[in-house]
Amino acid sequence: MRDLGYAQALEAAIFEEMQRDEKVYYMGEDVGVFGGAITKLFSLYQNFPDRVMDMPLDEKGFTGVAVGMAWMGLRPIVEFMYPDFLPLAMSDIVHGAAKQYWLSNQECPVPMVIRSAQGIGSQCGAHHSECVEAWLMNYPGIKIAVPTFPKDAYGMMKHAIRDNDPVLWLDCRTTCYTEHDNIPEADEDYILEFGHANILREGTDVTIVAWHKLLKDALAAAEDLEKQGISCEVIDPRTLIPFDIDTVLTSVRKTGHLVIAHEANIRGGFGEEIAAQVTERDAGSLKAPIERVGTPNTFIPVGTVEWQIVPDKMDVIRAIKKTLGKELLPEEQGRVVVDVIAELEKSRPESNDN
């Protein structure tokens, strides 16, 4: 086993796949000599200079190139410096990548990975801090991976590269890169298939489904609430498409309560999809309404104030106690997450245009 951080585990997985398969390429802005803008992947360019490709500031252009490469049987990994730039290449992703296998009568798979890091943590404001998983969940043919821990990232990236479908791969800028774990050696060829959630903490009173930053907040909330006699089961889905609804349903049948927490905007977030699936398949197991935790319908401001917009551990605790009908302790009253856009709309002057 190797003790590696999240970024090191990803680098190891990509390096080993490039070593195993000469069809694997890594491409994006500043990924060559500079080593990458998200995390430094120096070993890739040093060992595979012909297959690590610096691209111009043209997300649509190089994503289109990657789609064409995948059509021809190569396996490109495309790095987006910020996932907020995905709309620049949306046509290539949803038309060129997502639909091609089906429109070609299953003759042309599109094996490519689009990798980026989402969420707050870099204090970069509205253009660089969004969580984007809900943008693409509506398009059949795209898989969405949201690993939080190094061992998961290592095994899942190997699966993503070998998968014949396009994969949207999202790191968490806030929490992923601080994690360390024991990673299997390269000769073990450790693969973690998509669609299998992981129960990180077993409990009997409430089920919490969360990923990335809010997963760490949920684990911290569960630890605090255990001291108050509240038992939380925490589930890490690891992939959103495909989603392991069976593990969630099994847990909800045991606990009777469900809280879903994610950093993305709560309106239209993936939490709605989870809540809908649970309600449609087994509403009778729920003893109280489902609670959702997410960022309000607002943009992320520049600077440390970003932490005042995005939910945290206390927001998860409040949601848990609400669904359980428990009273909050004084120290749990906490802050109220502000919907900045809603407040601005209240003060917007009415138009005088006729």
Side-chain angles (χ1 to χ4, degrees):
M1 302 292 280
R2 298 168 282 177
D3 180 22
L4 300 179
Y6 183 98
Q8 294 172 309
L10 268 186
E11 181 176 11
I14 298 169
F15 178 90
E16 290 161 18
E17 289 303 296
M18 293 185 77
Q19 193 173 47
R20 183 190 65 85
D21 186 353
E22 63 181 12
K23 295 179 180 179
V24 180
Y25 284 72
Y26 199 92
M27 55 198 298
E29 297 162 2
D30 293 327
V31 300
V33 176
F34 186 68
I38 305 174
T39 52
K40 300 306 177 186
L41 307 173
F42 290 118
S43 68
L44 302 186
Y45 183 71
Q46 292 169 354
N47 288 274
F48 312 103
D50 295 335
R51 288 191 280 140
V52 177
M53 304 165 62
D54 273 323
M55 294 286 110
L57 299 176
D58 181 5
E59 282 76 10
K60 176 174 175 54
F62 64 72
T63 303
V65 169
V67 170
M69 292 168 66
W71 286 2
M72 298 303 294
L74 302 178
R75 294 182 177 271
I77 306 167
V78 182
E79 179 180 300
F80 270 62
M81 194 177 293
Y82 294 99
D84 314 64
F85 299 156
L86 283 173
L88 300 173
M90 194 65 81
S91 178
D92 297 281
I93 295 169
V94 302
H95 297 306
K99 299 176 181 177
Q100 182 63 18
Y101 179 65
W102 307 103
L103 295 181
S104 67
N105 196 29
Q106 293 78 57
E107 294 291 330
C108 181
V110 189
M112 63 181 294
V113 179
I114 299 171
R115 180 203 170 203
S116 195
Q118 68 174 9
I120 64 170
S122 60
Q123 301 181 25
C124 286
H127 290 95
H128 300 321
S129 305
E130 295 173 288
C131 292
V132 304
E133 61 262 24
W135 293 6
L136 289 169
M137 72 176 184
N138 194 243
Y139 284 94
I142 297 178
K143 297 177 179 177
I144 302 177
V146 288
T148 303
F149 299 104
K151 187 176 181 180
D152 292 341
Y154 176 77
M156 289 169 62
M157 178 55 80
K158 284 177 168 281
H159 175 86
I161 293 171
R162 301 184 193 188
D163 199 302
N164 282 331
D165 288 321
V167 175
L168 175 63
W169 178 282
L170 297 169
D171 300 337
C172 175
R173 192 173 284 111
T174 310
T175 61
C176 283
Y177 304 131
T178 62
E179 294 292 326
H180 275 255
D181 207 344
N182 288 322
I183 307 300
E185 297 293 338
D187 58 4
E188 297 182 39
D189 199 24
Y190 176 76
I191 306 290
L192 185 57
E193 294 186 357
F194 287 4
H196 299 283
N198 189 21
I199 300 175
L200 297 178
R201 184 185 182 105
E202 295 189 354
T204 57
D205 295 326
V206 60
T207 300
I208 311 170
V209 180
W211 52 96
H212 284 172
K213 176 189 180 300
L214 268 295
L215 175 60
K216 300 295 292 295
D217 290 334
L219 289 169
E223 185 174 346
D224 286 358
L225 290 175
E226 184 179 30
K227 300 170 187 175
Q228 301 179 35
I230 298 174
S231 176
C232 303
E233 183 146 296
V234 182
I235 298 176
D236 175 6
R238 299 194 284 201
T239 58
L240 302 182
I241 308 293
F243 184 75
D244 184 1
I245 188 61
D246 291 333
T247 294
V248 176
L249 286 172
T250 299
S251 178
V252 170
R253 288 168 186 147
K254 176 174 62 174
T255 67
H257 300 89
L258 175 61
V259 171
I260 307 161
H262 54 63
E263 186 180 342
N265 296 113
I266 195 166
R267 186 181 73 184
F270 197 83
E272 291 185 0
E273 175 64 21
I274 300 172
Q277 289 195 36
V278 171
T279 303
E280 289 168 356
R281 299 185 188 212
D282 200 352
S285 293
L286 293 167
K287 301 175 183 177
I290 297 169
E291 291 295 323
R292 292 181 296 133
V293 178
T295 298
N297 176 37
T298 190
F299 301 117
I300 303 300
V302 174
T304 57
V305 71
E306 65 185 4
W307 293 95
Q308 298 178 30
I309 298 296
V310 174
D312 60 13
K313 177 184 75 172
M314 283 302 178
D315 295 291
V316 177
I317 288 176
R318 284 190 281 272
I320 292 169
K321 289 202 167 182
K322 184 178 179 181
T323 193
L324 292 175
K326 303 282 188 180
E327 291 188 7
L328 295 174
L329 300 178
E331 62 269 23
E332 294 170 350
Q333 301 290 333
R335 66 192 175 98
V336 176
V337 179
V338 179
D339 188 334
V340 175
I341 300 301
E343 294 302 315
L344 288 174
E345 289 294 336
K346 292 178 184 178
S347 61
R348 185 195 296 271
E350 293 186 8
S351 173
N352 293 321
D353 296 338
N354 293 322

